[in-house]
Amino acid sequence: MIVMWKKAGRHVNERMVRAWLTGRQKLAEAKGQGTTEYAILVGVLVVIAIIALVAFRGRLEELWNEISEGINGL
């Protein structure tokens, strides 16, 4: 009876360890996926910012010059 209990206990422990390791692997995959999604999002935002800078370049230059003149006038 004791031998059977030890074998059953070991079997349960092995299953718990396997489940834990599988959970860790899935969590690591999810973290990697989340990191990739954030990287893509940042990349898209950078492209949008560059397009906005190019599109409004003239107005930004005027604004920059006004700020510069204001600071120099102090």
Side-chain angles (χ1 to χ4, degrees), residues 13-58:
N13 287 338
E14 287 176 0
R15 291 176 76 187
M16 288 175 62
V17 169
R18 280 194 203 119
W20 182 75
L21 289 174
T22 301
R24 274 185 66 126
Q25 289 171 345
K26 290 186 186 249
L27 184 60
E29 290 173 5
K31 284 182 182 178
Q33 181 180 1
T35 303
T36 303
E37 290 171 355
Y38 283 124
I40 291 170
L41 178 64
V42 168
V44 168
L45 292 175
V46 167
V47 169
I48 290 171
I50 291 171
I51 290 171
L53 287 172
V54 170
F56 299 108
R57 182 177 181 182

